[in-house]
Amino acid sequence: MRLSSPTARTRHEKRASCFLSPLSSQDIRRLVTTRWPADVLLEQQYREVAETVHSEIRDELLAAGIYAEAYIDPGPFRPAARVIARRILAIEHGLYPANRDPEEYLDSLNRERSQMIGRVIASIQPRDTNDDGAVDVDEDALLAVRRSR
C-alpha cells in the first residue's frame, strides 16, 4: 500500500506509535547494571535508549511495509531490541565490553541486529481472519508471527 497523501501518511504514522516497546527503561537499566555494574546512567538516559530502540524497530517494520499497529506483541523483537540497546549504549554512552575492539564490537552488533530483525520480519504472515484459505483484500491486515527457538 503506497501512502501518497499527507493525511494517510499522518494517520499511519500515528497508528504505528501504538506498537508496544519491546524493552522498557527498566530493562535497559538491568542490561547496564548486569554488564557494566560500575556504570550508572540517569533515568532519563535509560528512557531515551528505550525510546530509540522502539523507534528503530518500528522504522524497520514500516520500511518493510508492515504497519506496527497491526502487530502488538513485542516478544519476538526482544532479542533484537537487546542488541540494538547494546549498540546504542556503546555509541552514545561508551559502554563496550572489556577487551573488545570497539569497531569490531559495533560491526558484530550491526550484523546480529540485521539478522534478528530480518528473521522476525520474514516470519510475519498475513492472517486469514475468516478462515477461507485466502487473505482477502477487504480483510483487516492482522498479522501472525511464527515463533521458534
Side-chain angles (χ1 to χ4, degrees):
M1 175 180 177
R2 197 170 288 268
L3 301 175
S4 56
S5 75
T7 306
R9 200 173 308 118
T10 303
R11 183 177 56 238
H12 284 291
E13 287 170 1
K14 283 180 185 174
R15 287 177 31 194
S17 66
C18 296
F19 175 62
L20 296 175
S21 185
L23 293 180
S24 67
S25 60
Q26 291 83 13
D27 295 324
I28 304 298
R29 183 186 306 118
R30 268 192 300 277
L31 178 66
V32 170
T33 57
T34 301
R35 290 179 174 265
W36 302 279
D39 293 301
V40 178
L41 303 176
L42 300 173
E43 185 58 37
Q44 177 62 28
Q45 292 170 310
Y46 293 123
R47 260 193 312 277
E48 288 170 357
V49 171
E51 289 168 7
T52 303
V53 168
H54 176 259
S55 294
E56 275 196 40
I57 291 176
R58 187 193 65 227
D59 291 348
E60 287 285 340
L61 288 169
L62 291 173
I66 299 166
Y67 294 101
E69 83 281 355
Y71 178 76
I72 303 300
D73 180 19
F77 289 99
R78 282 194 182 104
R82 287 187 197 98
V83 171
I84 293 169
R86 289 183 4 232
R87 185 173 55 79
I88 293 166
L89 290 166
I91 292 169
E92 294 182 5
H93 301 285
L95 298 177
Y96 294 91
N99 304 323
R100 246 348 249 280
D101 175 55
E103 190 174 323
E104 181 234 290
Y105 179 66
L106 290 175
D107 286 345
S108 70
L109 290 176
N110 285 330
R111 281 191 306 275
E112 194 174 353
R113 171 194 174 281
S114 295
Q115 291 170 353
M116 289 178 153
I117 289 177
R119 266 187 257 143
V120 175
I121 287 175
S123 72
I124 295 175
Q125 302 294 317
R127 193 173 128 222
D128 180 18
T129 57
N130 62 7
D131 291 324
D132 67 352
V135 179
D136 302 321
V137 175
D138 61 340
E139 288 182 294
D140 290 333
L142 297 175
L143 303 171
V145 176
R146 291 187 311 262
R147 292 180 79 173
S148 63
R149 287 195 172 248

